Amino acid sequence: MPDDPLNPIGRFVTLADVAEILSLSAAEVLALVRSGELPAIRLGSVGQWRVESSVLEAFIADKYDETKRLALWNEAEFADVAELFPEQRRAGQRRTSST
């Protein structure tokens, strides 16, 4: 592990480390990788899977966003689509203000 306090886990993480970080089994993490939900690369002659730290952080952030949207959806009988997908609302505002 590197001495960089801003990134204590290093650039690449093994699937076993990802499993520990996410409190999942190694099989569950491998299933996420194989499905393409968690991007990973194979390195070395044996083809060991590695996940880039920044990709793992983005994956976690996406899961928080997904959970927030699900909670909003369950909170209201007729959820406001713009509230569920704020990034698309901002893009639409930029298009209408530029036209």
Side-chain angles (χ1 to χ4, degrees):
M1 297 285 174
D3 295 329
D4 182 3
L6 298 176
N7 191 0
I9 61 174
R11 180 169 179 189
F12 292 100
V13 184
T14 65
L15 295 190
D17 289 339
V18 172
E20 184 177 335
I21 291 166
L22 298 178
S23 297
L24 296 172
S25 71
E28 290 171 314
V29 172
L30 185 57
L32 288 170
V33 168
R34 287 189 172 157
S35 73
E37 190 174 349
L38 177 61
I41 57 174
R42 291 187 86 144
L43 298 173
S45 59
V46 183
Q48 298 281 328
W49 285 104
R50 296 290 185 270
V51 177
E52 196 164 0
S53 298
S54 60
V55 170
L56 180 58
E57 291 300 323
F59 174 80
I60 292 168
D62 288 346
K63 288 298 176 185
Y64 274 114
D65 289 342
E66 182 180 309
T67 302
K68 182 179 177 182
R69 284 192 299 269
L70 183 60
L72 285 170
W73 181 264
N74 290 328
E75 186 178 287
E77 186 174 330
F78 299 103
D80 182 6
V81 174
E83 190 177 34
L84 293 175
F85 300 98
E87 62 279 354
Q88 292 176 350
R89 180 176 56 184
R90 284 191 297 269
Q93 287 172 346
R94 275 186 249 130
R95 267 186 265 137
T96 56
S97 63
S98 64
T99 54

